[in-house]
Amino acid sequence: MLLPLTSAQKKPPPAEPPYVLMTADSVGGVWTYALDLARELAGQGTRVTLAVLGPSPHPDQVAAAAAVDGLELIDTGLALDWTAPDEAAVRRTAEALGDLAARLGPDVVHLNSPALAADAGFTMPVVGVCHSCMASWWVAVRGGEMPEDFRWRTELLRRGYQACDVLVAPSAAFADATAALYGVAPPVVVRNGRYARKAGPRRAAMGRERFVFTAGRLWDSGKNVELLDAAAKLLDVPVFAAGPLESPTGHRVGLTHAKALGRLDGASVAGWMARAPVFASLPLYEPFGLTVLEAAQAGCALVLSDIASFRELWDGTAIFADPGDARALAATLRRLLDDPLEARRLGTAARRRAARYDMDRLTAGMLDVYWSVTHPVRSEVIA
């Protein structure tokens, strides 16, 4: 049952920090979101257990989690809802997660995979965070009637949303899309945040080079890396793309003109962003975009898809491009690379805007949400 946040719940008085059981996966941005949030929560005295679903974390991810004092990491080996082979596998994951919660006894369960809420049998409050979903992805990327594989997952997610006590979304655009698609009240908007990495003095002194950079789950058709690959053919400068080309389910894309760098750790991505004058991201679908935020924090000029979430977050600080026009995109990138002063101006504007999306705001917002479900407002009956 979804509970609205009231004004009385948004400013919690000092209290014992909650114990949070949080789910994550190692595949994409959810890992970054969950680990950063867990680090901040742990730093404020909140006990956090991070239960990883799907593929095991990479060694650098395990090392990053181990560096967080007080964080407990559990590699469950359970199926991830959006890659599971069938509905029964998702239900088994939900039931096992419910058993884990019963054994650990957290104050609140934070599901970054809200589809698991319906069948887990949680006895404690549940917060579901809407990072993305197959139905909204399909509307934005493919259109038309969804295939059966998408339909049963969407129905499971609908049930999961309804079973959560509160839903959270990282942007108003995605909150509205979620409400429209699933018939739920618009989720509470708590925008994502990231730690800003600072380039060392030597790197800062070297300045920007002349290339275009992008990063993300390149195999995801919603990321639309094919458009940037086509634009790269029309440019006389290199376009570098960091990220996996093959999905956990075996789907693979190839790049012909852009230069694939493969999966890089966070420090390596930050190094590329410190050198790049321009960061390009042209997805057809993106509820928030953590990598765009990282690029903005690094002072890259942003060239982004003209989609609702990016307009909401970056309007006035980025150049927006048609995600279906490779020739126009190439012209925009060339013009920006030929004008370093404009690229620097846009990079400065992006860095200033990025300051709105920091870890302090994300952490405070989520603590308010946790408080709202662990300390529900009770109505007093006056005789």
Side-chain angles (χ1 to χ4, degrees), residues 120-305:
F122 294 119
T123 59
M124 61 288 295
V126 179
V127 173
V129 180
C130 312
H131 292 285
S132 65
C133 74
M134 286 187 162
S136 56
W137 183 97
W138 186 265
V139 169
V141 179
R142 295 281 189 261
E145 185 177 353
M146 287 191 299
E148 174 58 27
D149 186 51
F150 276 53
R151 285 200 296 271
W152 68 258
R153 294 178 200 273
T154 296
E155 182 54 34
L156 272 183
L157 183 55
R158 185 191 312 278
R159 293 178 53 238
Y161 280 165
Q162 292 170 345
C164 290
D165 294 285
V166 170
L167 295 178
V168 174
S171 63
F174 193 57
D176 291 343
T178 299
L181 282 168
Y182 294 91
V184 296
V188 177
V189 177
V190 179
R191 292 197 172 96
N192 289 344
R194 281 291 280 132
Y195 294 107
R197 292 177 180 266
K198 293 183 179 180
R202 181 173 178 273
R203 175 62 259 163
M206 292 172 66
R208 303 280 172 170
E209 300 176 25
R210 185 175 168 83
F211 64 87
V212 177
F213 183 65
T214 194
R217 293 196 314 253
L218 304 182
W219 51 263
D220 182 348
S221 299
K223 303 301 182 186
N224 198 26
V225 72
E226 295 86 355
L227 179 79
L228 192 57
D229 191 44
K233 181 181 180 181
L234 306 174
L235 294 171
D236 61 355
V237 297
V239 176
F240 294 101
L245 295 171
E246 185 172 343
S247 77
T249 58
H251 171 69
R252 184 175 179 83
V253 299
L255 299 180
T256 304
H257 308 289
K259 302 180 186 300
L261 301 174
R263 180 190 175 275
L264 303 179
D265 61 26
S268 298
V269 170
W272 279 92
M273 288 177 175
R275 296 161 52 202
V278 179
F279 181 87
S281 181
L282 285 303
L284 302 170
Y285 173 78
E286 185 59 84
F288 184 90
L290 279 173
T291 311
V292 174
L293 174 54
E294 293 171 12
Q297 290 172 331
C300 299
L302 303 179
V303 177
L304 307 176
S305 295

Side-chain angles (χ1 to χ4, degrees), residues 2-380:
L2 298 177
L3 301 177
L5 287 176
T6 69
S7 58
Q9 293 168 300
K10 291 187 176 181
K11 295 294 182 182
E16 187 72 20
Y19 170 25
V20 180
L21 172 61
M22 186 187 307
T23 63
D25 66 74
S26 65
V27 177
V30 169
W31 171 266
T32 301
Y33 166 91
L35 187 62
D36 280 358
L37 179 56
R39 181 182 292 112
E40 282 293 304
L41 291 171
Q44 297 188 29
T46 298
R47 181 183 169 196
V48 181
T49 295
L50 197 60
V52 181
L53 309 175
S56 293
H58 295 276
D60 60 289
Q61 293 174 316
V62 174
V68 179
D69 288 340
L71 174 63
E72 179 184 20
L73 183 70
I74 299 177
D75 185 1
T76 67
L78 298 170
L80 188 57
D81 57 316
W82 56 273
T83 62
D86 51 41
E87 188 172 345
V90 180
R91 292 181 188 278
R92 286 194 295 271
T93 293
E95 291 167 0
L97 195 61
D99 291 342
L100 178 64
R103 188 166 71 252
L104 296 177
D107 297 303
V108 61
V109 174
H110 173 142
L111 291 179
N112 289 310
S113 297
L116 304 174
D119 297 302
F122 294 119
T123 59
M124 61 288 295
V126 179
V127 173
V129 180
C130 312
H131 292 285
S132 65
C133 74
M134 286 187 162
S136 56
W137 183 97
W138 186 265
V139 169
V141 179
R142 295 281 189 261
E145 185 177 353
M146 287 191 299
E148 174 58 27
D149 186 51
F150 276 53
R151 285 200 296 271
W152 68 258
R153 294 178 200 273
T154 296
E155 182 54 34
L156 272 183
L157 183 55
R158 185 191 312 278
R159 293 178 53 238
Y161 280 165
Q162 292 170 345
C164 290
D165 294 285
V166 170
L167 295 178
V168 174
S171 63
F174 193 57
D176 291 343
T178 299
L181 282 168
Y182 294 91
V184 296
V188 177
V189 177
V190 179
R191 292 197 172 96
N192 289 344
R194 281 291 280 132
Y195 294 107
R197 292 177 180 266
K198 293 183 179 180
R202 181 173 178 273
R203 175 62 259 163
M206 292 172 66
R208 303 280 172 170
E209 300 176 25
R210 185 175 168 83
F211 64 87
V212 177
F213 183 65
T214 194
R217 293 196 314 253
L218 304 182
W219 51 263
D220 182 348
S221 299
K223 303 301 182 186
N224 198 26
V225 72
E226 295 86 355
L227 179 79
L228 192 57
D229 191 44
K233 181 181 180 181
L234 306 174
L235 294 171
D236 61 355
V237 297
V239 176
F240 294 101
L245 295 171
E246 185 172 343
S247 77
T249 58
H251 171 69
R252 184 175 179 83
V253 299
L255 299 180
T256 304
H257 308 289
K259 302 180 186 300
L261 301 174
R263 180 190 175 275
L264 303 179
D265 61 26
S268 298
V269 170
W272 279 92
M273 288 177 175
R275 296 161 52 202
V278 179
F279 181 87
S281 181
L282 285 303
L284 302 170
Y285 173 78
E286 185 59 84
F288 184 90
L290 279 173
T291 311
V292 174
L293 174 54
E294 293 171 12
Q297 290 172 331
C300 299
L302 303 179
V303 177
L304 307 176
S305 295
D306 196 354
I307 57 176
S309 58
F310 281 169
R311 280 283 181 183
E312 174 189 336
L313 299 168
W314 303 106
D315 199 17
T317 66
I319 295 177
F320 294 97
D322 180 349
D325 191 335
R327 189 169 297 278
L329 173 61
T332 297
L333 294 171
R334 188 183 303 111
R335 186 167 60 250
L336 198 52
L337 289 166
D338 289 343
D339 190 348
L341 289 178
E342 177 64 4
R344 191 177 306 128
R345 184 191 71 80
L346 285 170
T348 299
R351 182 184 279 120
R352 288 174 177 162
R353 178 64 58 82
R356 298 182 184 179
Y357 315 129
D358 61 13
M359 288 306 302
D360 288 345
R361 287 179 175 87
L362 169 60
T363 307
M366 292 310 301
L367 283 171
D368 281 358
V369 170
Y370 298 156
W371 178 267
S372 76
V373 295
T374 56
H375 295 76
V377 174
R378 292 186 174 89
S379 299
E380 292 185 4

